Amino acid sequence: MQYTSPTKLYDAYVFDMDGTIYLGDHLLPGAKRLIEGLRTLGKPVRFLSNNPTKDPHQYLAKLEKLDIPTPVEEIANTVVTTTRWLKANHPDATVFPISEQPLKDALAAAGIKMSDNPEEIDIVIASYDRTFEYRKLQIAFDAIWYHKRAILITTNPDRYCPFPGGRGEPDAASIVAAIEACTGTKCVANMGKPEAVMLTAALGDLDVDPTNCMMVGDRLMTDIGMAINTGMASTLLLTGDSTLEEAQALPEAEQPTYVLERIDHLIPEEIRNEWGWSDSDS
């Protein structure tokens, strides 16, 4: 693990968004010029998120508002991966999404049947759902435990979603835990980081070797975990969730390749100096 800038450029860069590119509604220092710099150098840039409460078009709108215009094809999140996985592996299944509207809309657009009747449900999808209630838990319980017909999957494994100022909200893992606790079952598939399905969503349209690509994020378990699972180089940004101390406490094989305090330090120092970049003027 190196607490210093990379000395080389990679073939492509995959970025987590919240806590890495922006925090809340504000760009993090150096983020805009970093993305522009990579594009100037001809390096493909892709954006990923484990958050299923927005669809890629909503992320596009946010990036545009922050003056980082990005084609929607270069953005993927767990709404995308969940829908693709179901179409590829269970196209005829009836699902019960414990989720917010963006995932439901994507499932409907993909022609995936949804139901809240436990006698019809083949797959329960546990997601980040701020409308979670006992009624939904009962439906999942009946479909899995009573009727013994449904399996449990999740959009993402995050325990909580961090907010600016140190607060947060319970995320999908808390809903998975509630269903597992009452049914005695186990979640059989995860559609988010650190699983390789997210790498496929990010790099699937590029002819690049993942081992010469860089994953950049602020969470050790998901962002850095996906990089390690898929052989990518990784950078932990100390602008969001995980800390340097937490990274240092991990076994060497689970540590990020780099740890940086500023995202624009992904550009090697020699190039930054050539461009006249200073940490004080971004």
Side-chain angles (χ1 to χ4, degrees):
M1 183 174 69
Q2 301 180 55
Y3 193 49
T4 183
S5 301
T7 57
K8 72 167 193 172
L9 292 166
Y10 288 79
D11 289 346
Y13 291 79
V14 181
F15 293 93
D16 177 55
M17 288 182 276
D18 202 352
T20 303
I21 299 296
Y22 53 76
L23 192 60
D25 293 322
H26 301 283
L27 277 175
L28 286 163
K32 182 176 184 294
R33 71 178 184 182
L34 178 275
I35 300 301
E36 292 175 344
L38 290 174
R39 288 170 172 166
T40 297
L41 293 166
K43 300 299 180 181
V45 171
R46 297 293 184 267
F47 296 99
L48 285 182
S49 175
N50 266 9
N51 189 335
T53 65
K54 298 181 177 69
D55 64 33
H57 289 278
Q58 290 172 289
Y59 281 112
L60 178 152
K62 181 159 190 173
L63 289 171
E64 286 186 342
K65 184 178 179 180
L66 294 171
D67 201 23
I68 303 179
T70 300
V72 72
E73 296 80 16
E74 297 179 4
I75 303 169
N77 72 333
T78 47
V79 168
V80 174
T81 55
T82 302
T83 304
R84 287 179 181 173
W85 185 85
L86 288 168
K87 288 292 287 183
N89 296 282
H90 299 277
D92 300 320
T94 297
V95 306
F96 175 54
I98 301 176
S99 74
E100 298 190 13
Q101 201 59 42
L103 179 58
K104 295 175 184 177
D105 290 343
L107 295 172
I112 296 169
K113 183 181 178 183
M114 290 175 280
S115 175
D116 60 3
N117 180 351
E119 297 181 12
E120 299 177 349
I121 298 166
D122 302 305
I123 300 174
V124 174
I125 307 171
S127 186
Y128 180 5
D129 182 5
R130 291 164 293 187
T131 67
F132 185 53
E133 59 185 355
Y134 196 86
R135 181 189 69 87
K136 295 181 180 181
L137 182 60
Q138 183 71 60
I139 292 169
F141 177 83
D142 287 344
I144 295 170
W145 184 85
Y146 181 71
H147 292 289
K148 294 179 171 55
R149 61 172 291 134
I151 62 171
L152 175 64
I153 70 169
T154 186
T155 52
N156 57 294
D158 302 78
R159 294 180 293 108
Y160 65 93
C161 180
F163 287 173
R167 292 192 68 251
E169 283 183 342
D171 207 322
S174 60
I175 297 175
V176 170
I179 297 170
E180 288 182 337
C182 65
T183 63
T185 193
K186 290 293 182 183
C187 183
V188 301
N190 162 41
M191 301 300 118
K193 297 172 289 184
E195 299 303 316
V197 65
M198 287 295 277
L199 179 67
T200 301
L203 299 179
D205 64 328
L206 297 175
D207 184 18
V208 293
D209 182 349
T211 60
N212 200 35
C213 297
M214 170 70 77
M215 176 69 212
V216 185
D218 68 304
R219 306 191 88 170
L220 288 165
M221 184 186 81
T222 53
D223 302 321
I224 306 308
M226 187 186 77
I228 291 168
N229 288 345
T230 56
M232 298 176 72
S234 61
T235 295
L236 175 68
L237 263 293
L238 300 178
T239 49
D241 182 61
S242 297
T243 66
L244 176 61
E245 292 73 23
E246 289 169 337
Q248 291 172 328
L250 291 172
E252 185 175 352
E254 298 175 20
Q255 292 180 357
T257 314
Y258 301 96
V259 178
L260 297 176
E261 292 182 342
R262 291 181 59 94
I263 194 170
D264 50 356
H265 285 191
L266 284 168
I267 299 290
E269 184 177 11
E270 180 181 358
I271 299 176
R272 297 201 316 272
N273 291 338
E274 180 183 329
W275 288 349
W277 284 9
S278 166
D279 291 354
S280 63
D281 62 9
S282 62

